[in-house]
Amino acid sequence: MKLLYFAWIRSKIGIAEEEVAPPAEVTTVGTLLDWLASRGPNYAEALKARAVVKTAVNQEYVDPDHPVQLGDEVALFPPVTGG
Amino acid sequence: MIRVQQEDFDIGAELARLSDGDHSVGGIASFIGLVRDMTPDGAIGSMTLEHYPGMTEKQLAAIEAEAQRRWPLQASLIIHRYGRLAPGDRIVLVATASAHRQAALEACAFLIDWLKTKAPFWKMEDGTAGAHWVEAKTSDDAAAERWARPEAPGEKAPGKKQG
């Protein structure tokens, strides 16, 4: 599973992307975020304000209950500020 | 058409191209977004626009398709820049061409309002006090929300939940 981080979520985690193989209990975006937050203080800090973290699976916006699987591209980012 | 690019664009040339050879176009509406100097003391503050290559194009194409579905447009154009920009620089151009002004003006407003809440871009400002990520505004969400129900002329809203 490919994870991408943008804006201050990238700054706080310290990397822009990584390849991960989450444990079996990670079946949704929500459980993926729970698992990520347990991987270290930088992840915990980046995901502290969980309500503002936007998620996309394979480049489409999704809710926390959306399923994830190996091979997915999952992106985590704050609310967008373009335009 | 959508374009995501680092370089500047020529407003006149882009707008002229929208109706080039199409005499059914009666009007073109446009919005041009610029980098505003946010530093209180007038010190030059540049900004860096980051985006999500791939998803950006996908989202902009979806937003444009939605505008084409709701309004009778002959042509539409979204150009959004990324990278380092200085105050006064152009960031975004949204333009719509239609037989009549109302469709062009409404579709243009819809495109920029939706773009601001859906297109994955993030602004980082370099001020005198260091760099910081710009926070999203709830007023932008409210502006996008007013387009939540499809209201294209002569078209009934499909069974979507009513606000």
Side-chain angles (χ1 to χ4, degrees), chain A residues 9-29:
Chain A
I9 292 179
R10 172 176 52 73
S11 314
K12 287 183 176 179
I13 292 178
I15 50 173
E17 61 176 270
E18 63 182 319
E19 198 69 42
V20 296
E25 64 263 28
V26 171
T27 55
T28 62
V29 167

Side-chain angles (χ1 to χ4, degrees), chain A residues 7 10 58 61 73 78 81 83, chain B residues 50 52 80 118 121-123:
Chain A
R10 172 176 52 73
N58 300 326
Y61 284 101
E73 176 177 300
T81 55
Chain B
E50 176 177 329
Y52 180 177
H80 205 302
K118 291 184 189 296
F121 286 93
W122 301 274
K123 291 181 179 129

Side-chain angles (χ1 to χ4, degrees), chain A residues 81-83, chain B residues 47-50 91 116 121-125 132-135:
Chain A
T81 55
Chain B
M47 77 160 49
T48 304
L49 260 158
E50 176 177 329
I91 303 177
K116 283 194 85 86
F121 286 93
W122 301 274
K123 291 181 179 129
M124 191 182 68
E125 287 175 351
H132 72 277
W133 291 99
V134 173
E135 291 224 22

Side-chain angles (χ1 to χ4, degrees), chain B residues 56-146:
Chain B
T56 303
E57 290 81 357
K58 217 168 161 176
Q59 289 295 317
L60 291 180
I63 294 166
E64 185 182 44
E66 179 66 16
Q68 297 270 0
R69 194 181 71 76
R70 294 192 192 192
W71 288 276
L73 301 178
Q74 260 77 353
S76 54
L77 172 67
I78 303 173
I79 303 176
H80 205 302
R81 295 178 68 191
Y82 64 90
R84 200 171 170 81
L85 299 170
D89 283 354
R90 288 176 277 269
I91 303 177
V92 63
L93 169 66
V94 172
T96 49
S98 183
H100 303 288
R101 71 181 181 284
Q102 193 187 357
L105 288 166
E106 285 182 7
C108 185
F110 163 84
L111 283 172
I112 188 63
D113 283 347
W114 264 34
L115 182 158
K116 283 194 85 86
T117 57
K118 291 184 189 296
F121 286 93
W122 301 274
K123 291 181 179 129
M124 191 182 68
E125 287 175 351
D126 289 321
T128 42
H132 72 277
W133 291 99
V134 173
E135 291 224 22
K137 293 196 209 90
T138 51
S139 58
D140 287 338
D141 289 334
E145 192 56 38
R146 73 193 166 108

